[in-house]
Structures are given as structure tokens and as C-alpha cells.
């Protein structure tokens, strides 16, 4: 695989590395007297030196003969060192930050590389959106490995996104220098049903020698899961139970255990490791992480601590964010271990290993972060004007949020309702009797039932889907956001038509984001003008905005964790059970459009 993620390719550095290892030339850097966490052999090696040249490890062991007058020496004094952390599946846009600001937030926590699926911005702008994020990433020390979005739109025929990615596009993008694989193949029914275009995208990836990544969210997959894995899909981050994770690992698929801001799957899914006591096909990932989580808890270091809290030993946990991840993507010849020839991506720990308190971070042998801060400034990336002009919607009114009862029905109607599950991506289809007044079906705040609308915002189609949701505890007011996976249309919910209009119009005016309105006032606003997904603010400022948003949701009566993230998934039509898009309600078990109202 072509490598663009080290200071110099191995084939250009091999003579220099051999010279340093043999003592014929001095190392550029020597780390002296460390306790090496060897993730290749799952052991701690005491009193170990590491010699570095050309951004790569030249020698691991006794490096006394590698020290010259020009060599920089870091005295580890017995501190633990380990390979830098890799996040095997995530979406930078979910942090709501630019790549540079994201790097500022995560690199000091030991993260040296991420496998980013930019399908959020791709759903808005297509290939040129992916190119923007790649250009942004070039300014940061963070190694941003890109996977080509596979499902844009996520489920064709059930929603309208701002772009489309075809197998021809995948073929073109596989040749891009920063691309290492195919983004999560959410159209798993297309895989096991033999859809030619879906299989063509996987085939283009395999022909390029790169990694197709997965998204199989059905429990008890049986033959469907077998067919999915047989297609070449290498990994999956949708295991929410130990049974799901174990089934995938037994078939040679990497189970990526997720612990993000809203999705806390590690507690249940990690049980698979207790049954087999073998973590080689297991990877820890974040998927979606908000800035307040990054500031208060950390990134992969936090997930490592969570893994240890679930009974996973520290070295196994480290393997799951280093060598296992690199092997999954076929990049273990470059990344994931402190070994000769590998990129010199190294973290130093303070105190006990199980605490994962990161003191220093080296990327390609250069000190990039120390004591929680980046060493060098990252130049800000200026997104072009067209990237800030994604809201192609006219203002709405309170009347836009009326839900007409079926002809001839009065008193009440039976309706399908989407009920969310806190900290889970799945939801439940419920049925409620809802009151009808003046021909309009009403929300029911007393029973925690709100109206929900999805307005297409990319191509001025005028399509609007509507229905009802429950489980958020909203008793008054309204919420709106353009972070609405994956098509990222304008998603609005509430019990007040006037507040729903206010929240929606606020986002239309500012270019997108997240908003909460109550009694004719905007309680909180997180402007995300780039694609309706990304802010120019850094983690500190954005975290303050997100905390205010969280408080505003609570003011409406909501008590669940990161509700805006759970809300964002109510429109993702590839997750069970019932979702709402700009085209209406989708049953994601049968993949059919279904009616809002049921006959008696």
C-alpha cells in the first residue's frame, strides 16, 4: 500500500536506518531507558532504548552506539512508552471542528492517526467536500487516513442527499494519496442481496489493495452476515452486544468496539473478550465524539481507561488501538508498533500504565505535544465561500408544521412513533393514539410525543417528511439541526409549531447548526456554517456552545446523554427500527416506506 503518512517512505530511508542501527551514523533521536509496551508480543520490556532516523525507528534495545554529537536524547527514566494511538473508525465532522482544531484537541491525548470516513461532508458536497477535509488535514501533524464514503446517499431511494458517490467515483478516489479504504458500507442489504453497484464499490476497493470497512447493524446476522463478510468487508463498528462482536471475530472480521460521546457500546460488547480471551480481532474506536467529551475526558486515552474499567488488561487494550488497528487496514508494516522500520509514533506515559496519562507525543520522531499541549501552532484553514452556502431553503412558518389527519378521521388516530433509546443507535417502533383537533394531529407532551419534520435542504426539491418521536422527554419548545445523519437535511422536532419554525429559520439564516427554541426565544445556538456541519471555533469555545445546547435541551425536559447526537440518528435510514427522512417514514428492518397512520 502506498504510504503518505510518514516523513519519508521506507524505501527511501532504509539505508539511513541500517546505518544508524549498525552504528555507522548517529540517530537523530534516542529515547533512553524506557519501559517499552511491546504490542507485538504483549509484554513490557524494561530498560529499553529507541533510536530514530528519517521519522522511523532504526533500533529498539541498547542504543548507546547510536548516539552522536547531533543526537537529541530524551531520558525516559523508566517511564512507559507505547505506539501512538489509532482511531480505526471516526468522522471528524462529528466533532463539529475543522481538522486542524480536531488535531489540536486529540494529539495531546496520544492520538497520532485516525481512519476518517468523511461521509458527512460528502453527503452535502460530494467529492469536493472530501477534498476540502484532506486539504485541511495537511496542516496538522495528525495522520488523517481517509476512507472513501461508500453510501452517499446512505440508502438510495429513501432519502435525498446533496450528492451521490458511484462505483466510478470510488475507482477515481482510490487513487488519491490519502485514501486507505472504503468507508462504512451501510447498505448491507445491498451486499447480501447481490446489488451490482454496491459490490462494484467493494470490488474497486479490493482491486486497489485497500480495506473495505463495514456497518452491519442487524443482530443475529446469520447467513446475511456470512455473505457480508464474504464480499470482502474487513471490519464493523456496529456490535452492540458481546454476541454480535463474537460472531464477527469468529469469522475473521475485526469487531470495532465503540465508545463515543453518545454511543456507549463497550460495556456490553467487551463481554466477547471474556469468552474467548483473545483480542487480536478487536479494535477500539470512537465513531462520533463531541468537543466537550474531548476536553473533559479525552480521546483514545479515555477509551483505553474505559476498556480497563470493563476488565480488559492494559496491554491488550493498547493492542486494540495500535497494532490490531494497523493490521485491520493492512498498514502494520508502517504503523501500530515500536519496531525497526516503523513510523516513530510514540507516546510517553506518566505514572501507572493503566491510567494512560499521556505526557509526551512523538509523530515521525518529532515531539508534537507535551503536558497536554501541542508544541507548534497549526495554521488555520480557510474554507471557501461555497462551502458556507449549503442551506438552500426558504424560511418556514408555524403552519409548515401541521400534520393533517387522514380524511374523515376525527377524535384520535393511531400513529407510528419513533422511540429513541438513550446511548444506543437503535430505536423502537411504537404505536400511539394521538388527538386530532381541527383536522390536525397533535403532539402529546404529557406522554413525551413530539412532532418531527425533515426538510430537504440541498437541491430545493421541496420534499418534507413528517412523523412523531418519543423518548427525549421534551415537554415544551422545539429543537432543530442540520446534523442529521447521513443526508444532513434540516431536522426539526418539538411540541410548539411556533418554536419549531423559529428554530428552523434560525438555522436557515446562519447556514446550519444546532438550535433550541422556547416560548419565542432562541435558548441555544451552535452555528455550523461549513456544510451545516463544521464550525471555525476551537474545542474550548465550541465546548461552551455545546454545553449551553445541552442545558437548553434539559430546559425543554430532556434528561438523556448527548440528546442532539441521538436526535441526529432519527433520520439515518440504515439503522433499526424506524427512521424519518425527507421522503417519510422508513422501516429499516424491511427497508420499505411505511405510512404514518394505521387503520383501526
Amino acid at each position: 500500500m502506498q504510504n503518505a503518512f510518514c516523513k519519508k517512505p521506507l524505501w527511501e530511508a532504509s539505508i539511513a536506518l541500517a546505518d544508524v542501527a549498525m552504528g555507522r551514523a548517529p540517530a537523530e533521536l534516542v529515547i533512553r531507558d524506557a519501559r517499552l509496551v511491546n504490542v507485538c508480543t504483549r509484554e513490557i520490556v524494561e530498560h529499553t532504548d529507541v533510536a530514530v532516523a528519517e521519522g522511523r525507528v532504526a533500533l529498539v534495545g541498547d542504543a548507546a552506539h547510536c548516539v552522536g554529537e547531533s543526537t537529541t536524547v530524551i531520558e525516559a527514566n523508566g517511564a512507559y512508552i507505547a505506539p501512538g494511538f489509532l482511531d480505526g473508525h471516526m468522522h471528524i465532522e462529528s466533532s463539529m471542528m475543522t481538522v486542524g482544531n480536531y488535531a489540536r484537541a486529540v494529539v495531546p491525548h496520544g492520538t497520532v492517526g485516525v481512519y476518517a470516513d468523511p461521509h458527512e461532508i460528502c453527503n452535502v458536497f460530494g467529492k469536493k467536500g472530501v477534498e476540502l477535509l484532506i486539504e485541511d488535514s495537511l496542516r496538522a501533524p495528525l495522520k488523517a487516513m481517509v476512507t472513501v464514503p461508500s453510501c452517499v446517499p446512505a440508502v438510495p431511494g429513501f432519502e435525498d442527499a446533496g450528492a451521490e458517490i458511484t462505483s466510478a467515483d470510488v475507482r477515481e478516489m482510490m487513487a488519491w494519496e490519502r485514501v486507505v479504504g472504503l468507508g462504512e458500507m451501510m447498505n448491507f442489504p445491498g451486499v447480501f442481496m447481490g446489488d451490482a453497484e454496491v459490490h462494484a464499490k467493494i470490488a474497486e476497493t479490493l482491486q486497489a489493495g485497500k480495506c473495505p470497512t463495514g456497518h452491519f447493524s442487524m443482530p443475529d446476522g446469520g447467513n446475511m452476515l456470512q455473505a457480508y463478510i464474504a464480499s470482502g468487508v474487513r471490519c464493523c463498528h456496529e456490535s452492540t452486544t458481546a454476541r454480535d462482536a463474537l460472531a464477527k471475530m469468529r469469522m475473521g472480521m475485526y469487531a470495532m468496539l465503540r465508545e463515543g460521546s453518545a454511543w456507549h457500546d463497550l460495556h456490553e460488547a467487551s463481554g466477547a473478550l471474556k469468552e474467548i480471551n483473545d483480542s487480536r480481532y478487536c479494535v477500539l474506536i470512537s465513531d462520533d465524539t463531541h468537543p466537550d467529551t474531548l476536553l473533559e475526558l479525552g480521546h483514545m486515552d479515555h477509551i483505553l481507561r474505559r476498556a480497563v474499567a470493563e476488565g480488559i488488561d492494559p496491554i491488550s487494550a493498547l493492542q486494540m488501538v495500535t497494532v490490531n488497528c494497523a493490521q485491520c487496514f493492512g498498514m502494520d508494516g508502517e504503523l501500530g508498533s515500536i519496531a525497526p522500520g516503523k513510523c516513530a509514533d510514540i507516546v510517553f506515559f506518566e505514572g501507572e500504565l493503566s491510567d494512560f496519562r499521556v505526557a509526551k507525543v512523538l509523530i515521525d520522531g518529532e515531539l508534537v505535544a507535551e503536558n497536554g499541549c501541542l508544541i507548534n501552532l497549526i495554521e488555520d484553514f480557510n474554507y471557501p465561500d461555497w462551502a458556507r452556502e449549503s442551506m438552500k431553503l426558504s424560511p418556514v412558518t408555524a403552519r409548515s408544521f401541521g400534520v393533517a389527519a387522514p380524511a374523515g378521521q376525527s377524535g384520535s388516530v393511531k400513529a407510528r412513533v419513533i422511540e429513541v433509546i438513550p446511548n444506543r443507535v437503535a430505536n423502537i417502533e411504537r404505536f400511539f393514539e394521538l388527538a386530532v383537533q381541527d383536522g390536525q394531529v397533535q403532539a402529546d407532551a404529557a406522554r413525551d410525543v413530539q412532532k418531527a419534520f425533515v426538510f430537504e435542504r440541498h437541491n430545493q426539491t421541496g420534499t418534507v417528511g413528517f412523523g412523531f418521536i418519543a423518548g427525549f422527554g421534551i415537554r415544551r419548545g422545539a429543537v432543530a439541526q442540520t446534523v442529521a445523519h447521513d443526508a444532513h437535511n434540516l431536522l426539526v422536532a418539538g411540541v410548539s409549531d411556533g418554536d419549531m419554525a423559529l428554530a428552523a429559520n434560525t438555522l436557515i439564516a446562519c447556514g446550519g447548526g444546532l438550535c433550541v427554541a422556547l416560548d419565542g426565544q432562541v435558548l441555544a445556538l451552535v452555528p455550523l456554517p461549513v456544510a451545516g456541519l463544521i464550525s471555525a471555533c476551537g474545542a474550548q469555545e465550541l465546548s461552551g456552545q455545546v454545553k449551553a445546547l445541552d442545558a437548553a435541551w434539559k430546559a425543554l425536559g430532556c434528561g438523556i446523554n448527548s440528546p442532539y447526537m441521538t436526535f441526529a440518528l432519527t433520520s439515518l435510514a440504515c439503522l433499526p427500527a424506524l427512521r424519518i427522512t425527507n421522503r417519510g417514514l422508513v422501516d429499516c428492518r424491511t427497508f420499505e416506506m411505511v405510512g404514518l397512520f394505521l387503520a383501526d
Side-chain angles (χ1 to χ4, degrees), residues 10-297:
L10 181 56
W11 59 84
E12 293 182 7
S14 60
I15 292 177
L17 294 174
D19 285 344
V20 170
M22 296 301 295
R24 293 189 295 265
E28 296 167 13
L29 169 73
V30 167
I31 300 167
R32 194 150 52 192
D33 191 25
R35 303 178 76 185
L36 170 68
V37 182
N38 192 321
V39 295
C40 300
T41 54
R42 199 173 167 276
E43 61 181 335
I44 304 293
V45 184
E46 303 281 350
H47 306 297
T48 300
D49 302 340
V50 179
V52 176
E54 304 288 2
R56 294 177 178 272
V57 175
L59 175 143
V60 179
D62 182 353
H65 64 291
C66 304
V67 178
E69 292 183 2
S70 61
T71 303
T72 299
V73 176
I74 297 178
E75 298 289 353
N77 295 318
Y80 288 101
I81 62 171
F85 310 150
L86 303 171
D87 189 343
H89 174 74
M90 53 80 66
H91 310 282
I92 292 175
E93 307 98 303
S94 291
S95 73
M96 299 182 284
M97 291 185 280
T98 64
V99 185
N101 282 332
Y102 180 82
R104 291 183 180 107
V106 303
V107 170
H109 288 279
T111 301
V112 301
V114 295
Y115 290 85
D117 182 348
H119 70 204
E120 320 296 3
I121 198 168
C122 192
N123 267 277
V124 180
F125 292 132
K127 289 185 292 185
K128 64 181 184 179
V130 178
E131 289 176 312
L132 272 182
L133 285 196
I134 290 175
E135 188 177 352
D136 187 357
S137 73
L138 302 179
R139 291 160 168 73
L142 179 71
K143 298 182 178 186
M145 280 77 74
V146 174
T147 59
V148 174
S150 65
C151 299
V152 177
V155 187
F158 294 97
E159 63 183 350
D160 294 284
E164 181 183 6
I165 294 295
T166 67
S167 57
D169 295 320
V170 171
R171 182 188 313 122
E172 174 194 336
M173 296 169 78
M174 282 297 155
W176 293 3
E177 186 179 55
R178 297 272 159 173
V179 166
V180 302
L182 186 69
E184 55 181 299
M185 178 47 74
M186 293 178 287
N187 191 359
F188 52 87
V191 177
F192 61 68
M193 293 299 291
D195 183 279
E197 175 66 6
V198 170
H199 278 267
K201 293 176 179 179
I202 298 172
E204 294 293 350
T205 308
L206 295 173
Q207 287 177 352
K210 299 183 180 182
C211 177
T213 69
H215 171 122
F216 190 95
S217 58
M218 295 180 67
D220 302 319
N223 291 342
M224 294 179 291
L225 178 59
Q226 299 266 1
Y228 189 68
I229 297 173
S231 74
V233 176
R234 184 81 166 137
C235 55
C236 177
H237 63 279
E238 288 294 335
S239 299
T240 59
T241 67
R243 182 177 180 179
D244 291 344
L246 191 54
K248 292 165 185 171
M249 287 190 286
R250 281 174 170 159
M251 288 183 276
M253 172 179 264
Y254 283 84
M256 293 180 158
L257 309 188
R258 172 173 50 197
E259 191 77 5
S261 289
W263 329 127
H264 300 165
D265 298 331
L266 188 56
H267 175 66
E268 294 290 339
S270 63
L273 301 180
K274 298 172 185 175
E275 184 166 342
I276 61 173
N277 194 31
D278 189 338
S279 62
R280 79 183 75 183
Y281 276 95
C282 202
V283 176
L284 298 174
I285 60 106
S286 71
D287 200 358
D288 300 303
T289 311
H290 272 181
D292 50 333
T293 301
L294 296 174
L295 283 177
E296 295 174 9
L297 298 176

Side-chain angles (χ1 to χ4, degrees), residues 266-339:
L266 188 56
H267 175 66
E268 294 290 339
S270 63
L273 301 180
K274 298 172 185 175
E275 184 166 342
I276 61 173
N277 194 31
D278 189 338
S279 62
R280 79 183 75 183
Y281 276 95
C282 202
V283 176
L284 298 174
I285 60 106
S286 71
D287 200 358
D288 300 303
T289 311
H290 272 181
D292 50 333
T293 301
L294 296 174
L295 283 177
E296 295 174 9
L297 298 176
H299 186 223
M300 301 310 293
D301 55 335
H302 161 61
I303 298 176
L304 285 165
R305 288 187 286 271
R306 283 286 301 113
V308 170
E310 294 297 340
I312 299 172
D313 74 86
I315 303 179
S316 294
L318 279 167
Q319 288 176 313
M320 292 159 67
V321 299
T322 56
V323 66
N324 291 13
C325 184
Q327 287 174 343
C328 174
F329 285 90
M331 296 180 69
D332 50 308
E334 298 282 339
L335 306 173
S337 61
I338 300 176

Side-chain angles (χ1 to χ4, degrees), residues 349-556:
F349 297 116
E350 292 178 332
E352 295 300 318
L353 179 61
S354 58
D355 295 334
F356 301 110
R357 295 200 305 272
V358 176
K360 292 184 179 70
V361 182
L362 275 63
I363 296 180
D364 294 343
E366 297 183 8
L367 184 65
V368 294
E370 190 170 19
N371 299 322
C373 298
L374 282 180
I375 300 297
N376 297 315
L377 295 177
I378 299 173
E379 180 183 352
D380 288 328
F381 178 64
N382 293 319
Y383 280 81
D385 290 342
W386 62 260
R388 300 172 180 270
E389 298 169 354
S390 67
M391 292 295 290
K392 297 178 174 62
L393 266 177
S394 300
V396 297
T397 68
R399 294 183 63 182
S400 304
F401 297 95
V403 178
Q409 287 197 247
S410 59
S412 68
V413 294
K414 180 177 284 188
R416 300 179 195 271
V417 176
I418 299 168
E419 182 175 311
V420 301
I421 307 171
N423 299 325
R424 292 288 184 269
V425 296
N427 64 31
I428 303 169
E429 179 185 32
R430 298 292 193 197
F431 303 95
F432 280 76
E433 286 285 340
L434 298 176
V436 176
Q437 296 179 7
D438 300 323
Q440 300 290 307
V441 184
Q442 305 297 304
D444 191 336
R447 289 191 295 164
D448 184 21
V449 178
Q450 303 89 38
K451 294 180 182 179
F453 280 70
V454 181
F455 296 84
E456 193 278 325
R457 72 172 175 102
H458 306 292
N459 299 305
Q460 298 178 307
T461 64
T463 54
V464 183
F466 54 87
F468 295 89
I469 61 174
F472 286 105
I474 294 175
R475 298 293 190 266
R476 52 191 189 141
V479 296
Q481 53 194 65
T482 51
V483 179
H485 301 290
D486 272 341
H488 297 293
N489 287 307
L490 176 59
L491 176 62
V492 189
V495 295
S496 163
D497 294 353
D499 287 335
M500 291 171 78
L502 174 60
N505 287 331
T506 299
L507 296 184
I508 291 170
C510 74
L514 306 98
C515 183
V516 177
L518 176 63
D519 297 336
Q521 301 291 324
V522 172
L523 287 190
L525 173 63
V526 182
L528 302 175
V530 176
L533 301 171
I534 296 170
S535 168
C537 298
Q540 194 73 45
E541 183 177 354
L542 200 50
S543 177
Q545 294 176 5
V546 171
K547 285 183 177 179
L549 182 78
D550 192 62
W553 273 79
K554 286 182 171 60
L556 303 190

